[in-house]
Amino acid sequence: MGAAAYVGRIGGLAVALGVGSAVFAGQGVAWADDTDSTASGTSSAATSQGDTTGDRKPTTKADRAAADESDDTAQDAEVDGDDKVDGDDEDPQVDSPADEAVDEDRTGTETDEDSDAQEDPAPEPAAPTGEAAPAGDPDVQPAVEPGAGEVAKTTKATATAGDDPAIPPRAAETVTVATQVSTALVPQQDDEASTATAPTTTTSTTKPNLISAIVNVVNSMIDWAHQKADTQPGDAPQPPFLWALMAFARRELDNLFAARTTNAPRSSAVAPTSLALTDAATAAATAAANSPWFNPQVSASTRFIDWVTGPYANTVGRFQIYGTDLGIMWDNGIVDNPATPEIEKRQILIAVGDSFGLPGMQGRHIYNTLFRSSDRDLSDGMTIPDGEWFNGNMFGGAPLDGATRARPIINRPSWLPGSVTLIPTAGVSVVTPDDPLAKFGVTQYVSFMSVTKWGQAGRWTTNYSAVAYSYDNGENFVVAPQSVRYNSFLSGNRNFQQSAYVKGGDGYVYVYGTPNGRQGAAYLARVAEENILDVSKYEYYKKASSGWFGSTTPARWVKGSPSSASAIIGKSGGLFGFTKPGYTVSEMSVQYNEYLKKYVVLYGDQANRIVMRTSDTPEGVWSDATVLMNQQTGGIYAPMLHPWSPSTEGTGSKLYWNLSLWSDYNIMLMETDLSKL
């Protein structure tokens, strides 16, 4: 490769970097040396219209690693034909109406657009699109009010018409600036930066000394990108061209190094000279490519990691699940058996809500299902293995009723009232070595709600909540009659229609309850682990109160009286409490955090922000709400904590949690660095 070719490539890079700097920094940046050679390099920007499936993410981490070695010059990934599903409308639900449709009026959280909707910068290149957004939400429609003027900008699906989930979203026709970003030099957080090594040779042939110059240019641009990506809560999304620019720079550098190696004399020993991407850098590149938002770093502390369900996670081809939500997680508590190393018995179980086989909440509909994962390295996403069909293995990726079809885990018993759907809201495992029916010495419990009607934004009606149990790692569940809480206005059970579980380490399971919908506060009950199925054995926390003549009644636990429970989280703050973060509580998750040495709760509030509170004890007093991320384009809800987060286990400051996105109607994994709060 001659000097002119090098100068040509550098010219192309200089043009791209210069234009990018001028567009986004507001001024031009020039580099000069003592040479007078000039040439223009050319590059082509790939453009494509969004389809209904989008690029598929490698299914496992091994696949991702293999994919990272592929040709960086490829522009658009072919959609794997195996990921396509046929229109199977069969509904395996038992004792429920066939093909029961979810109410199209079902809506989610209303949002204050002035304080929460992210404002778009000036018109800029639109992000790539993939699938059409769902037409109706079977659990939520958190939204920006009509007229907010949100510009469609998700990588897979986008809600239009002001991003109001009450209006059926339409697929936005957009053009991607650059699609090859899997190995792009993208901004990294903390110590997760890529490193560059200048190429060296042992030959006496002198080549134009421009490689180091271009590396310096790119490094300076990366430093600038770091600063641009250091967002704060409420900041506008970063321009997509920034990521495209970094992708182009990375690709051109790799081409330079490859050409340099290819054209070197055979007798010369060429040292490896490519930019070495660390695992963290590769994960960040994947996040940038798959993120539903322009910048995966959604706040100073919190960032998008990867998808857990949907086309990018290939739950379509493997489980016939195109869209689902919630993603409640708990440790199954099963001890690994060294005699069967091929089976990872210790797993995270992930209960999800209404699931559909086709885009737009169409095709086969099941009330719920369950996924499993043994993945402990969450920095690059959470891997769900393939299913195990008809071989007796109860540790596959999901319970199945076909070779590649997930099935519901909880169906409506004939002795309970009818439902539009049955949605899991909490899960926990309890060691039960004395129960001969527990195959692995552990029983799994899932609390769920029976929805009878979807109403306005953030409102729905339940007729009861109940608990189902499983003896076989979630493969089969049975609803316990003694666990049913009928939703009556005259009963305190109305405050326990949705739940969150946490084990207190004192023999009790603590149960946080909220009313149906998203307008309530959180209440607390506890029960001995062995009595979790019997609501008559529950005790309810009543806060201390003051009497008429200065007397004080201390806080206490009241057995068998759910109406005695006090609101311990939310609905506080006085006359203007509703203006503060965390006022209402919806879809909460609780666990003890070793890093903080406190209990942690995550939930969505009245403005559809994701907030966190902490407490020394399960009952509180709970801290003021800290906002982890504001409402995002597409509508976010249901933050569900991962039990194997480093901060939870005391091995680091990172907290991982699932988050649902309405416009995509799928679950993604998020990361919060608690050291940055």
Side-chain angles (χ1 to χ4, degrees):
M1 183 173 182
Y6 278 99
V7 174
R9 285 201 177 275
I10 291 166
L13 276 169
V15 170
L17 296 174
V19 170
S21 299
V23 171
F24 299 112
Q27 59 185 5
V29 180
W31 291 266
D33 55 22
D34 54 1
T35 64
D36 58 359
S37 306
T38 59
S40 61
T42 61
S43 64
S44 60
T47 61
S48 62
Q49 295 292 334
D51 58 20
T52 59
T53 53
D55 293 343
R56 296 293 187 258
K57 171 191 166 185
T59 300
T60 64
K61 291 183 181 177
D63 294 338
R64 296 177 190 166
D68 288 336
E69 299 298 326
S70 65
D71 186 5
D72 282 336
T73 63
Q75 296 298 314
D76 290 301
E78 293 281 345
V79 176
D80 191 344
D82 291 341
D83 289 343
K84 300 183 184 296
V85 296
D86 49 20
D88 185 359
D89 289 329
E90 177 185 354
D91 188 348
Q93 240 91 237
V94 297
D95 297 322
S96 61
D99 293 327
E100 191 166 32
V102 174
D103 190 343
E104 290 185 358
D105 291 332
R106 178 177 183 182
T107 54
T109 302
E110 296 177 347
T111 305
D112 183 351
E113 66 178 4
D114 292 331
S115 60
D116 303 296
Q118 296 217 349
E119 295 293 338
D120 286 337
E124 55 194 61
T129 61
E131 66 214 28
D137 174 13
D139 182 61
V140 50
Q141 291 188 340
V144 179
E145 294 292 333
E150 288 288 325
V151 178
K153 57 191 177 187
T154 63
T155 57
K156 298 201 302 175
T158 306
T160 59
D163 273 337
D164 186 350
I167 299 176
R170 301 186 301 275
E173 295 187 2
T174 58
V175 178
T176 177
V177 174
T179 57
Q180 178 60 36
V181 292
S182 62
T183 56
L185 286 173
V186 296
Q188 306 301 322
Q189 305 304 315
D190 304 323
D191 57 349
E192 299 172 351
S194 58
T195 57
T197 305
T200 58
T201 65
T202 59
T203 66
S204 59
T205 303
T206 302
K207 297 200 177 205
N209 188 19
L210 298 176
I211 298 297
S212 358
I214 202 66
V215 168
N216 291 337
V217 170
V218 174
N219 282 339
S220 66
M221 289 299 297
I222 292 173
D223 290 339
W224 172 70
H226 270 292
Q227 298 172 8
K228 295 294 290 180
D230 187 17
T231 56
Q232 301 298 320
D235 283 356
Q238 301 304 317
F241 189 73
L242 175 62
W243 310 111
L245 182 66
M246 295 295 100
F248 171 74
R250 165 69 188 187
R251 186 166 60 252
E252 287 299 291
L253 276 173
D254 281 349
N255 289 342
L256 272 174
F257 291 138
R260 195 172 161 86
T261 302
T262 302
N263 290 282
R266 292 180 179 273
S267 60
S268 64
V270 181
T273 57
S274 63
L275 290 177
L277 282 180
T278 64
D279 290 342
T282 302
T286 300
N290 295 348
S291 173
W293 310 297
F294 289 163
N295 188 356
Q297 189 75 30
V298 295
S299 73
S301 66
T302 301
R303 65 182 181 125
F304 166 89
I305 296 295
D306 209 348
W307 291 97
V308 176
T309 62
Y312 276 67
N314 195 20
T315 55
V316 184
R318 297 187 297 145
F319 305 112
Q320 295 187 31
I321 301 296
Y322 194 98
T324 191
D325 68 349
L326 296 186
I328 294 126
M329 296 181 285
W330 71 97
D331 188 320
N332 70 357
I334 298 174
V335 178
D336 287 327
N337 185 354
T340 56
E342 71 281 1
I343 299 177
E344 289 290 334
K345 288 193 170 73
R346 194 62 173 262
Q347 292 179 316
I348 292 298
L349 303 186
I350 312 161
V352 302
D354 287 297
S355 302
F356 295 86
L358 294 175
M361 297 181 186
Q362 300 298 315
R364 186 177 71 117
H365 167 226
I366 55 178
Y367 287 164
N368 48 68
T369 192
L370 180 136
F371 296 116
R372 305 183 181 103
S373 176
S374 299
D375 192 347
R376 283 191 173 271
D377 180 7
L378 304 173
S379 62
D380 59 352
M382 180 166 53
T383 299
I384 296 173
D386 292 341
E388 301 283 347
W389 170 238
F390 219 70
N391 63 3
N393 183 7
M394 299 174 183
F395 297 88
L400 305 174
D401 61 6
T404 59
R405 193 169 82 164
R407 60 178 170 79
I409 55 170
I410 302 172
N411 289 300
R412 182 180 66 84
S414 59
W415 46 270
L416 279 172
S419 306
V420 171
T421 187
L422 305 176
I423 297 181
T425 62
V428 69
S429 64
V430 173
V431 176
T432 53
D434 298 330
D435 192 332
L437 297 178
K439 295 182 182 298
F440 309 102
V442 178
T443 302
Q444 313 298 327
Y445 299 97
V446 168
S447 179
F448 66 95
M449 62 178 173
S450 167
V451 177
T452 58
K453 180 181 179 181
W454 299 109
Q456 298 176 355
R459 299 178 185 273
W460 57 85
T461 303
T462 61
N463 54 4
Y464 68 88
S465 64
V467 180
Y469 60 95
S470 170
Y471 289 134
D472 51 12
N473 198 37
E475 195 73 11
N476 300 281
F477 278 86
V478 177
V479 179
Q482 66 272 32
S483 71
V484 177
R485 295 178 183 271
Y486 288 101
N487 189 5
S488 168
F489 178 78
L490 300 177
S491 168
N493 282 329
R494 68 183 184 276
N495 293 326
F496 291 87
Q497 293 299 294
Q498 298 168 244
S499 301
Y501 287 144
V502 64
K503 288 194 276 189
D506 54 1
Y508 286 101
V509 173
Y510 289 82
V511 184
Y512 297 81
T514 60
N516 46 225
R518 296 202 171 102
Q519 287 72 45
Y523 302 79
L524 180 62
R526 70 179 184 183
V527 63
E529 292 180 352
E530 62 271 19
N531 295 325
I532 193 171
L533 294 177
D534 190 348
V535 294
S536 69
K537 302 291 181 64
Y538 281 61
E539 298 176 343
Y540 300 88
Y541 182 71
K542 186 174 181 62
K543 294 192 296 187
S545 59
S546 299
W548 287 101
F549 301 102
S551 61
T552 300
T553 303
R556 62 193 187 278
W557 294 93
V558 181
K559 185 175 181 179
S561 177
S563 59
S564 298
S566 303
I568 61 168
I569 303 175
K571 293 286 187 176
S572 61
L575 180 61
F576 296 101
F578 67 93
T579 65
K580 299 178 181 179
Y583 181 70
T584 63
V585 182
S586 67
E587 290 142 335
M588 62 192 306
S589 178
V590 187
Q591 64 180 208
Y592 185 78
N593 189 276
E594 286 289 344
Y595 177 81
L596 297 176
K597 301 299 181 185
K598 293 179 180 293
Y599 287 90
V600 169
V601 60
L602 263 58
Y603 63 90
D605 73 355
Q606 71 278 9
N608 214 37
R609 296 167 292 223
I610 303 303
V611 302
M612 182 182 85
R613 293 180 185 258
T614 61
S615 171
D616 293 328
T617 63
E619 61 270 21
V621 176
W622 289 87
S623 70
D624 291 338
T626 297
V627 177
L628 300 187
M629 61 186 293
N630 285 314
Q631 164 71 298
Q632 301 291 313
T633 301
I636 54 175
Y637 62 103
M640 298 296 165
L641 292 161
H642 196 299
W644 292 351
S645 297
S647 65
T648 305
E649 297 190 317
T651 60
S653 62
K654 303 294 179 64
L655 182 67
Y656 291 93
W657 41 284
N658 280 346
L659 181 67
S660 295
L661 182 66
W662 156 243
S663 62
D664 201 279
Y665 196 61
N666 268 304
I667 303 161
M668 46 196 168
L669 184 68
M670 306 294 293
E671 175 194 274
T672 294
D673 189 341
L674 296 178
S675 68
K676 295 183 177 180
L677 294 178

